[in-house]
Amino acid sequence: MKAAATALTRGLTARHIRFIALGSAIGTGLFYGSAAAIQQAGPSVLLAYLIGGLAVYIVLRALGEMAVSNPVSGSFGEYASKHLGPLAGFMTGWTYTFEMIVVCLADVTAFGVYMGFWFPDVPRWIWVLAIVFFIGAINLLSVKVFGELEFWFTLIKVAAIVAMIAAGVAILIFGFGIHDTSTGISQLWSEGGFFATGFGGFVGCFAIVVFAFGGTEIIGVTAGEAQDPERTIPRAVNTVPIRIMLFYVLTLAVIMAINPWQSIGTDGSPFVQIFEGLGIGPAATVLNIVVITAALSAINSDIFGAGRMMFGMAERGQAPAIMRRVSRNGVPWMTVVIMTVALLVGVLLNYAIPESVFLVIASIATFATIFVWLMILLSQYRSRRRMSAEETAELKFPVPFWPYGQMLAIAFLVFVIVVLAFSADTRVALVVGAVWLILLTLAYVRFVRPQPESEPELVHQPS
């Protein structure tokens, strides 16, 4: 009975994990962050998403190698503890949890803004409060319910993006009176060139690009509750390049081929522009449904991911033991409750958060994402270096381009951290990140670090 009370249930099927992986790359970063990235880099943002996508793929392959070999609820937090030391695991797990809370605060507030489109007279905090309790309740049910809900959320998002791409291609081919078909896709380079904002603009957009891909590491967290991780995790990870090409590169290429990149983000959402171009009257309503779905999906996944990470840390003694409590459905209910309470801060801050704070939130989330990804890469690198030739040969999902891919990805992530330092708006993320890591180190030394066993023995030895 005791074992059942502290064990998670493997209730996520291959279909669930594929769509969780699919949906993790589609959220606020695409629907809203992409407009800011385009304004900063112009058409060269397409190259930035390709480079960032390659780095993400290497990170996820590194995570996949470890997750298939050792599918546990603590995921990369446990891998960091095992291969880099307990302090690294402690910092990785809590930084991921911190990332999920920060992003969730933005998403629940955004949900209130979206609902204001239809109900402008209803106070925003009511919607925020309602969605926090609704998603929290969903996560208290079996993990299969979470997987099923995420499946349908993702299906709506994917259908909307595919419809948008199809509509955009139709406009490029037929014009419909809103596009000169003789120009083709020349607007990708005719409006000031491909690198229209210069090399500085191209480099500067990488912070937004990484933020857009944040959360994809949830694939590793699902391994602890996957029915067949050896089969489902590789399939989910290997679809990442296709997803990035389809959802980011192709989508934004179509948008910028139809509209001059300078107008994107200033004349309304690019997604609304596409639907309006086809004569779909309630384009804003269609988009609002999609972004609400994206917000619900993000909140759902964030509560799940952070909860499972806290559960794994509690099992290793890096979090309070109360976080190990599991319901009869195999759900770590206490971590879900803790996340829900933390998100109630979003209700209190909802009126106080001006729009400018969202860039700060995104920057802090980007720092946390980069730190977690670095720990994943370093854990896998250290793990592989310790393996014998026989152990390496037995790996069921080995990383490609070893070890040069890992080295390039690590260098890229360090480069993005440097990029954060060059903008006044994003520099605060480095300050917050540094303070956060210092506080984690002090907390580890004070509450977690095991004390030498020899000391009490010396005190009690007979004279």
Side-chain angles (χ1 to χ4, degrees):
M1 290 294 292
K2 219 176 230 187
T6 57
L8 300 181
T9 303
R10 291 190 179 272
L12 294 178
T13 65
R15 173 173 61 90
H16 292 147
I17 291 181
R18 271 201 306 272
F19 273 77
I20 290 170
L22 195 62
S24 63
I26 311 170
T28 307
L30 173 61
F31 291 114
Y32 285 100
S34 59
I38 290 171
Q39 282 296 307
Q40 189 156 14
S44 65
V45 73
L46 301 177
L47 180 59
Y49 276 111
L50 281 174
I51 294 173
L54 177 60
V56 172
Y57 178 64
I58 294 173
V59 170
L60 294 182
R61 282 300 302 259
L63 178 56
E65 178 180 295
M66 295 184 290
V68 169
S69 300
N70 184 22
V72 292
S73 58
S75 190
F76 37 87
E78 181 152 334
Y79 306 144
S81 290
K82 181 178 180 181
H83 302 296
L84 301 176
L87 175 59
F90 178 79
M91 296 174 78
T92 301
W94 281 111
T95 299
Y96 176 74
T97 303
F98 175 66
E99 173 195 350
M100 294 298 97
I101 292 174
V102 169
V103 172
C104 242
L105 285 175
D107 285 325
V108 296
T109 302
F111 176 81
V113 174
Y114 300 152
M115 292 304 293
F117 174 81
W118 289 315
F119 306 98
D121 297 328
V122 177
R124 188 187 303 171
W125 67 267
I126 292 179
W127 296 114
V128 175
L129 185 65
I131 199 59
V132 166
F133 282 122
F134 173 73
I135 297 294
I138 290 294
N139 273 265
L140 287 174
L141 302 176
S142 71
V143 69
K144 187 174 182 180
V145 174
F146 160 78
E148 202 64 34
L149 192 65
E150 197 60 24
F151 169 80
W152 289 106
F153 282 158
T154 299
L155 196 61
I156 293 172
K157 291 188 292 185
V158 171
I161 292 175
V162 171
M164 197 283 307
I165 292 174
V169 171
I171 291 173
L172 285 172
I173 296 173
F174 301 108
F176 297 110
I178 60 170
H179 176 71
D180 183 2
T181 56
S182 64
T183 63
I185 60 171
S186 63
Q187 288 195 124
L188 291 177
W189 56 83
S190 63
E191 298 287 331
F194 187 72
F195 290 91
T197 61
F199 187 71
F202 170 69
V203 169
C205 80
F206 276 104
I208 304 172
V209 168
V210 171
F211 170 71
F213 293 140
T216 52
E217 64 274 13
I218 196 174
I219 294 174
V221 180
T222 64
E225 289 166 272
Q227 291 178 355
D228 186 7
E230 290 184 9
R231 184 170 62 92
T232 55
I233 298 300
R235 286 187 178 182
V237 170
N238 285 333
T239 61
V240 169
I242 298 172
R243 282 183 277 137
I244 290 168
M245 286 293 294
L246 177 64
F247 298 134
Y248 284 89
V249 179
L250 183 56
T251 302
L252 299 185
V254 168
I255 289 173
M256 287 188 288
I258 295 172
N259 304 291
W261 66 267
Q262 298 93 331
S263 69
I264 295 173
T266 59
D267 297 335
S269 166
F271 292 86
V272 171
Q273 291 173 7
I274 291 293
F275 289 123
E276 284 181 340
L278 278 180
I280 300 176
T285 299
V286 173
L287 176 68
N288 210 47
I289 292 172
V290 174
V291 295
I292 283 175
T293 303
L296 290 172
S297 173
I299 298 165
N300 193 36
S301 295
D302 292 345
I303 290 178
F304 171 86
R308 268 47 175 189
M309 183 60 68
M310 285 188 281
F311 175 83
M313 288 189 293
E315 286 199 315
R316 297 191 303 276
Q318 295 178 346
I322 195 173
M323 294 182 180
R324 294 181 58 196
R325 295 189 178 180
V326 175
S327 70
R328 286 179 297 178
N329 293 327
V331 172
W333 65 271
M334 182 53 70
T335 63
V336 174
V337 170
I338 292 170
M339 276 297 292
T340 303
V341 171
L343 290 179
L344 291 178
V345 175
V347 180
L348 300 175
L349 296 179
N350 205 55
Y351 286 113
I353 295 181
E355 290 185 13
S356 59
V357 173
F358 279 99
L359 179 60
V360 175
I361 288 176
S363 302
I364 294 172
T366 299
F367 175 86
T369 298
I370 291 173
F371 180 84
V372 169
W373 287 358
L374 281 172
M375 291 297 103
I376 290 171
L377 288 168
L378 292 172
S379 298
Q380 186 272 329
Y381 186 87
R382 187 74 177 273
S383 167
R384 181 66 77 87
R385 285 297 188 193
R386 290 174 169 177
M387 290 183 184
S388 64
E390 293 76 14
E391 290 173 324
T392 302
E394 290 175 359
L395 287 173
K396 296 176 181 176
F397 191 48
V399 296
F401 317 120
W402 169 262
Y404 306 107
Q406 281 63 34
M407 293 178 179
L408 286 173
I410 290 170
F412 170 76
L413 294 177
V414 172
F415 159 75
V416 176
I417 290 178
V418 174
V419 169
L420 290 175
F422 278 92
S423 170
D425 291 327
T426 58
R427 197 176 299 135
V428 65
L430 297 182
V431 177
V432 173
V435 171
W436 170 254
L437 295 180
I438 291 171
L439 290 176
L440 283 181
T441 303
L442 294 175
Y444 176 82
V445 171
R446 175 66 180 84
F447 300 109
V448 180
R449 185 177 63 178
Q451 300 299 318
E453 295 181 4
S454 58
E455 290 182 5
E457 293 176 5
L458 289 173
V459 173
H460 292 94
Q461 279 184 354
S463 56

